[in-house]
Amino acid sequence: MTDMELVQILWDYMQLHQRLEKCDCIIGLGCMDLNVAKVAANLYKKGYADKLIFSGGYGKKTKKVWNEPEAEKFAKIAIEMGVPKEKIYLENQSTNTSENFQFVKKLIEENKMNLQSCIIVGRPYVEKRTYTYLKKIMPEYKAIITSEAVRCETYFNRYKSDSKIEEISVLVGDIQRMKLYPQKGWSTEVDIPDEVWQAYEELVKRGYNNWILEN
């Protein structure tokens, strides 16, 4: 198998393909991918919710290249696309996905927003992992997880050489974390099929190991 064929196995496993419907709010999870902000803003403009929450401070990657928190950068994009500023709420302290949900939950409670359902927008290859955090931290919320509609190869080909290897390595590392983190109580457990785990192990052998946890 080629590298991209192995990546496709992980990508397909991570996708949830959930059907969109109207919810109480849209939550955009901060990251380097600005399309997350655009997807969230477009969902707001299409009437899927009347509140938009962006969550994200500085993650491992963004702290090296951005001079403002992820949530604030995303909010500027949404406002430029026509989302009213007063409809946007910001959580700009979180540094990882677990904190995204912990701090968003606190923001919702502090603002007495009385929300029961939400649409979560993130990167295409983290949908299933996002679900494992959501069910652990905000299980009482009805949630739909979605992302940009894009093909696997098209998505990764946006990145050049080293950046492409790094981005694929993040996906590979996420598979490992989905196996390890439930053991620590940080996320809910999910089944990882043998085919997926074998693709993960092969990609690690081929050098996509920058985000692998040691010990």
PDB file of all heavy atoms in Angstrom, residues 180-191:
ATOM      1  N   LEU A 180      -4.902   5.059  24.048  1.00  0.00           N
ATOM      2  CA  LEU A 180      -4.290   5.274  25.359  1.00  0.00           C
ATOM      3  C   LEU A 180      -5.133   6.115  26.320  1.00  0.00           C
ATOM      4  O   LEU A 180      -5.194   5.826  27.512  1.00  0.00           O
ATOM      5  CB  LEU A 180      -2.925   5.957  25.188  1.00  0.00           C
ATOM      6  CG  LEU A 180      -1.844   5.179  24.444  1.00  0.00           C
ATOM      7  CD1 LEU A 180      -0.569   6.007  24.369  1.00  0.00           C
ATOM      8  CD2 LEU A 180      -1.576   3.841  25.117  1.00  0.00           C
ATOM      9  N   TYR A 181      -5.766   7.162  25.817  1.00  0.00           N
ATOM     10  CA  TYR A 181      -6.412   8.129  26.707  1.00  0.00           C
ATOM     11  C   TYR A 181      -7.604   7.576  27.487  1.00  0.00           C
ATOM     12  O   TYR A 181      -7.811   7.974  28.641  1.00  0.00           O
ATOM     13  CB  TYR A 181      -6.804   9.380  25.928  1.00  0.00           C
ATOM     14  CG  TYR A 181      -5.647  10.321  25.645  1.00  0.00           C
ATOM     15  CD1 TYR A 181      -4.334   9.963  25.951  1.00  0.00           C
ATOM     16  CD2 TYR A 181      -5.860  11.575  25.091  1.00  0.00           C
ATOM     17  CE1 TYR A 181      -3.274  10.812  25.693  1.00  0.00           C
ATOM     18  CE2 TYR A 181      -4.797  12.436  24.830  1.00  0.00           C
ATOM     19  CZ  TYR A 181      -3.510  12.051  25.135  1.00  0.00           C
ATOM     20  OH  TYR A 181      -2.461  12.901  24.890  1.00  0.00           O
ATOM     21  N   PRO A 182      -8.405   6.661  26.912  1.00  0.00           N
ATOM     22  CA  PRO A 182      -9.485   6.096  27.729  1.00  0.00           C
ATOM     23  C   PRO A 182      -8.963   5.376  28.971  1.00  0.00           C
ATOM     24  O   PRO A 182      -9.630   5.353  30.013  1.00  0.00           O
ATOM     25  CB  PRO A 182     -10.180   5.124  26.766  1.00  0.00           C
ATOM     26  CG  PRO A 182      -9.911   5.679  25.415  1.00  0.00           C
ATOM     27  CD  PRO A 182      -8.519   6.239  25.494  1.00  0.00           C
ATOM     28  N   GLN A 183      -7.762   4.798  28.882  1.00  0.00           N
ATOM     29  CA  GLN A 183      -7.169   4.102  30.024  1.00  0.00           C
ATOM     30  C   GLN A 183      -6.863   5.069  31.169  1.00  0.00           C
ATOM     31  O   GLN A 183      -6.811   4.665  32.332  1.00  0.00           O
ATOM     32  CB  GLN A 183      -5.881   3.390  29.589  1.00  0.00           C
ATOM     33  CG  GLN A 183      -6.091   2.348  28.496  1.00  0.00           C
ATOM     34  CD  GLN A 183      -4.784   1.841  27.912  1.00  0.00           C
ATOM     35  OE1 GLN A 183      -3.717   2.031  28.486  1.00  0.00           O
ATOM     36  NE2 GLN A 183      -4.859   1.200  26.752  1.00  0.00           N
ATOM     37  N   LYS A 184      -6.667   6.335  30.825  1.00  0.00           N
ATOM     38  CA  LYS A 184      -6.382   7.354  31.833  1.00  0.00           C
ATOM     39  C   LYS A 184      -7.636   8.117  32.263  1.00  0.00           C
ATOM     40  O   LYS A 184      -7.571   9.023  33.087  1.00  0.00           O
ATOM     41  CB  LYS A 184      -5.341   8.336  31.293  1.00  0.00           C
ATOM     42  CG  LYS A 184      -3.975   7.689  31.031  1.00  0.00           C
ATOM     43  CD  LYS A 184      -2.963   8.702  30.573  1.00  0.00           C
ATOM     44  CE  LYS A 184      -1.584   8.070  30.401  1.00  0.00           C
ATOM     45  NZ  LYS A 184      -1.010   7.608  31.688  1.00  0.00           N
ATOM     46  N   GLY A 185      -8.777   7.756  31.651  1.00  0.00           N
ATOM     47  CA  GLY A 185     -10.030   8.411  31.999  1.00  0.00           C
ATOM     48  C   GLY A 185     -10.236   9.751  31.333  1.00  0.00           C
ATOM     49  O   GLY A 185     -11.094  10.529  31.741  1.00  0.00           O
ATOM     50  N   TRP A 186      -9.460  10.037  30.290  1.00  0.00           N
ATOM     51  CA  TRP A 186      -9.539  11.344  29.646  1.00  0.00           C
ATOM     52  C   TRP A 186     -10.550  11.397  28.504  1.00  0.00           C
ATOM     53  O   TRP A 186     -10.935  12.473  28.068  1.00  0.00           O
ATOM     54  CB  TRP A 186      -8.163  11.747  29.107  1.00  0.00           C
ATOM     55  CG  TRP A 186      -7.133  11.915  30.189  1.00  0.00           C
ATOM     56  CD1 TRP A 186      -7.363  12.054  31.533  1.00  0.00           C
ATOM     57  CD2 TRP A 186      -5.712  11.946  30.040  1.00  0.00           C
ATOM     58  NE1 TRP A 186      -6.181  12.176  32.219  1.00  0.00           N
ATOM     59  CE2 TRP A 186      -5.150  12.115  31.341  1.00  0.00           C
ATOM     60  CE3 TRP A 186      -4.859  11.855  28.944  1.00  0.00           C
ATOM     61  CZ2 TRP A 186      -3.777  12.192  31.546  1.00  0.00           C
ATOM     62  CZ3 TRP A 186      -3.488  11.929  29.145  1.00  0.00           C
ATOM     63  CH2 TRP A 186      -2.955  12.099  30.431  1.00  0.00           C
ATOM     64  N   SER A 187     -10.955  10.242  28.007  1.00  0.00           N
ATOM     65  CA  SER A 187     -11.921  10.185  26.911  1.00  0.00           C
ATOM     66  C   SER A 187     -12.640   8.843  26.979  1.00  0.00           C
ATOM     67  O   SER A 187     -12.239   7.954  27.736  1.00  0.00           O
ATOM     68  CB  SER A 187     -11.209  10.342  25.556  1.00  0.00           C
ATOM     69  OG  SER A 187     -10.264   9.308  25.367  1.00  0.00           O
ATOM     70  N   THR A 188     -13.702   8.710  26.207  1.00  0.00           N
ATOM     71  CA  THR A 188     -14.431   7.446  26.208  1.00  0.00           C
ATOM     72  C   THR A 188     -13.761   6.453  25.262  1.00  0.00           C
ATOM     73  O   THR A 188     -13.072   6.828  24.318  1.00  0.00           O
ATOM     74  CB  THR A 188     -15.893   7.655  25.776  1.00  0.00           C
ATOM     75  OG1 THR A 188     -15.918   8.286  24.487  1.00  0.00           O
ATOM     76  CG2 THR A 188     -16.638   8.513  26.771  1.00  0.00           C
ATOM     77  N   GLU A 189     -13.995   5.176  25.519  1.00  0.00           N
ATOM     78  CA  GLU A 189     -13.355   4.123  24.729  1.00  0.00           C
ATOM     79  C   GLU A 189     -14.115   3.868  23.433  1.00  0.00           C
ATOM     80  O   GLU A 189     -15.344   3.922  23.394  1.00  0.00           O
ATOM     81  CB  GLU A 189     -13.296   2.841  25.558  1.00  0.00           C
ATOM     82  CG  GLU A 189     -12.449   1.749  24.946  1.00  0.00           C
ATOM     83  CD  GLU A 189     -12.205   0.614  25.914  1.00  0.00           C
ATOM     84  OE1 GLU A 189     -12.573   0.736  27.100  1.00  0.00           O
ATOM     85  OE2 GLU A 189     -11.650  -0.411  25.471  1.00  0.00           O
ATOM     86  N   VAL A 190     -13.376   3.631  22.374  1.00  0.00           N
ATOM     87  CA  VAL A 190     -13.970   3.260  21.088  1.00  0.00           C
ATOM     88  C   VAL A 190     -13.212   2.060  20.534  1.00  0.00           C
ATOM     89  O   VAL A 190     -12.043   1.840  20.857  1.00  0.00           O
ATOM     90  CB  VAL A 190     -13.918   4.415  20.065  1.00  0.00           C
ATOM     91  CG1 VAL A 190     -14.836   5.547  20.468  1.00  0.00           C
ATOM     92  CG2 VAL A 190     -12.491   4.916  19.880  1.00  0.00           C
ATOM     93  N   ASP A 191     -13.883   1.300  19.705  1.00  0.00           N
ATOM     94  CA  ASP A 191     -13.245   0.148  19.076  1.00  0.00           C
ATOM     95  C   ASP A 191     -12.350   0.618  17.934  1.00  0.00           C
ATOM     96  O   ASP A 191     -12.758   1.445  17.118  1.00  0.00           O
ATOM     97  CB  ASP A 191     -14.310  -0.812  18.543  1.00  0.00           C
ATOM     98  CG  ASP A 191     -13.703  -1.999  17.829  1.00  0.00           C
ATOM     99  OD1 ASP A 191     -12.928  -2.738  18.473  1.00  0.00           O
ATOM    100  OD2 ASP A 191     -13.963  -2.163  16.619  1.00  0.00           O
TER     101      ASP A 191
END
